[in-house]
C-alpha cells in the first residue's frame, strides 16, 4: 500500500493505492479521515497492484505492477492519460521546478 497527502485550494485529501488495483480518495479537510468509506475511487483501475503514487503539477500519478503509470485529474476524478512502459520510472516537473521521480518495481 502507498499513500499521498494532497492539498487543493482549501481541501486536504489522503490518497491511497493498494493491491486491489484502485486509487482511493479520503477527505482529510477537517483533520479526521474515515478509514472505512472513501470519498471517491478513481476509475478505471490498474490491472495489478499499485506500488507508488505521487502528486505533482496539479495531477496525481499512480504506478502499478502492471507496468503502467496513470495520470489523474483529482478535481474531475478522471484519468488524463496512461503511459504503458517497461522503463524504470518517469520524471515529473512541478511548478516549483522540483523533479519528482516515480519508481516502479517489477517482480
Amino acid at each position: 500500500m502507498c499513500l499521498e497527502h494532497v492539498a487543493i485550494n482549501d481541501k486536504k485529501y489522503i490518497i491511497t493505492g493498494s493491491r486491489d488495483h484502485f486509487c482511493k480518495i479520503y477527505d482529510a479537510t477537517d483533520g479526521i479521515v474515515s478509514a472505512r468509506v472513501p470519498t471517491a475511487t478513481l476509475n478505471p483501475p490498474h490491472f495489478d497492484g499499485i506500488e507508488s503514487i505521487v502528486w505533482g503539477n496539479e495531477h496525481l500519478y499512480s504506478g502499478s505492477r502492471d507496468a503502467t503509470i496513470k495520470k489523474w485529474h483529482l478535481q474531475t476524478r478522471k484519468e488524463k492519460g496512461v503511459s504503458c512502459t517497461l522503463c524504470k520510472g518517469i520524471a515529473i516537473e512541478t511548478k516549483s521546478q522540483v523533479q519528482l521521480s516515480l519508481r516502479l518495481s517489477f517482480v
Side-chain angles (χ1 to χ4, degrees):
M1 175 180 243
C2 51
L3 63 90
E4 180 80 356
H5 176 264
V6 175
I8 303 173
N9 300 323
D10 294 335
K11 294 280 195 178
K12 295 178 185 174
Y13 302 98
I14 300 291
I15 301 158
T16 64
S18 67
R19 64 182 182 185
D20 72 356
H21 308 185
F22 288 95
C23 288
K24 295 178 183 171
I25 302 170
Y26 298 86
D27 190 345
T29 302
D30 60 4
I32 300 170
V33 178
S34 170
R36 296 181 182 219
V37 181
T39 305
T41 300
L42 300 179
N43 280 301
H46 281 276
F47 291 107
D48 204 346
I50 297 170
E51 293 286 318
S52 54
I53 52 178
V54 67
W55 173 252
N57 201 22
E58 303 296 321
H59 290 90
L60 180 78
Y61 298 83
S62 58
S64 171
R65 292 172 52 104
D66 65 5
T68 63
I69 298 170
K70 290 192 175 201
K71 179 179 177 182
W72 305 93
H73 189 269
L74 287 189
Q75 292 177 331
T76 62
R77 311 280 200 271
K78 301 283 185 189
E79 181 184 284
K80 300 301 284 184
V82 178
S83 174
C84 189
T85 177
L86 295 176
C87 69
K88 293 290 183 185
I90 186 170
I92 304 157
E93 188 173 330
T94 65
K95 287 184 178 179
S96 63
Q97 304 299 312
V98 176
Q99 290 293 319
L100 300 174
S101 179
L102 176 60
R103 294 284 174 197
L104 302 178
S105 58
F106 299 101
V107 176

